[in-house]
Amino acid sequence: MATRLTGIPTPTYGPNSWIQLADALAALELLGVVAFANEAARDLGHPNPDEGQVAYVGGASGGVCVYTATGWRYLAWRDQVTP
């Protein structure tokens, strides 16, 4: 079932970045979005995700991701990390 994501602050990176990220995480938890330390923990916690499921992945390269028919996809505002 799709859930409309409203009222979630989109962080801008500056002096208060950690406060903004904590606020975003708190808003996601109210929507029933589970937070994971990293992608491996997310995959272990959701071994068979349903399409439309949302998760928050922490860490420097984390962000809010949604499971689609082709796998987990991060929302557009996620910082892109080049390997």
Side-chain angles (χ1 to χ4, degrees):
M1 173 171 69
T3 302
R4 186 172 173 187
L5 301 176
T6 58
I8 298 173
T10 301
T12 55
Y13 298 96
N16 296 321
S17 293
W18 291 110
I19 294 170
Q20 292 173 335
L21 288 171
D23 290 344
L25 180 57
L28 291 170
E29 286 175 343
L30 290 174
L31 292 171
V33 176
V34 180
F36 296 96
N38 52 46
E39 290 178 350
R42 179 204 60 206
D43 295 342
L44 186 62
H46 290 304
N48 299 305
D50 293 323
E51 190 168 351
Q53 192 163 5
V54 180
Y56 175 82
V57 176
S61 63
V64 178
C65 52
V66 178
Y67 191 78
T68 68
T70 58
W72 288 101
R73 299 290 178 243
Y74 285 90
L75 296 184
W77 60 265
R78 175 181 180 253
D79 280 349
Q80 299 299 310
V81 176
T82 305

